[in-house]
Amino acid sequence: MHLQVVARDLVQGQQALWFAVPKKLLPRAVDRNAFRRVARAAWEALPPREPSKAAQAGLLKVRSVDPQWRELSVISKKKIWRAEIDALLDRFVMPRSGA
């Protein structure tokens, strides 16, 4: 799966993460919802940082999917997704504020 994060600034003190999971790429609702839960958990697990140093909002987009995923279990997919999302968020440095 290839993911993309697009950052935007919001009003000071507000932070948000939105998801774009196209039905065309993940046709099963179970998979789309599992992806959203995994992404939300990765976002919430980020350590708090200074709001001025962090992006205020981000859109996490699913850009492409590996065709062999149809054969994997949901648990296997979740592990792969979490690793990719963690790597992307760490690289992008988009942490939540507050603790």
Side-chain angles (χ1 to χ4, degrees):
M1 177 184 300
H2 298 284
L3 304 173
Q4 175 185 14
V5 172
V6 179
R8 298 285 183 255
D9 289 330
L10 292 177
V11 178
Q12 181 82 20
Q14 291 183 344
Q15 290 193 336
L17 180 65
W18 298 296
F19 311 104
V21 187
K23 189 184 282 191
K24 185 175 182 179
L25 296 178
L26 291 174
R28 296 178 56 213
V30 171
D31 292 335
R32 291 192 305 275
N33 292 335
F35 177 83
R36 288 184 189 106
R37 283 192 302 274
V38 168
R40 194 173 300 116
W43 169 257
E44 291 170 354
L46 288 172
R49 298 199 191 196
E50 287 290 319
S52 60
K53 295 181 182 176
Q56 297 298 312
L59 173 63
L60 180 62
K61 293 182 180 181
V62 177
R63 303 301 273 173
S64 64
V65 175
D66 190 345
Q68 61 186 329
W69 280 2
R70 284 179 169 68
E71 298 148 16
L72 295 176
S73 69
V74 175
I75 294 171
S76 298
K77 291 177 192 177
K78 285 181 180 182
K79 288 179 183 178
I80 294 168
W81 293 338
R82 180 61 188 255
E84 290 188 30
I85 292 167
D86 284 342
L88 181 65
L89 292 178
D90 287 343
R91 212 174 46 223
F92 193 75
V93 186
M94 214 183 82
R96 290 180 8 157
S97 65

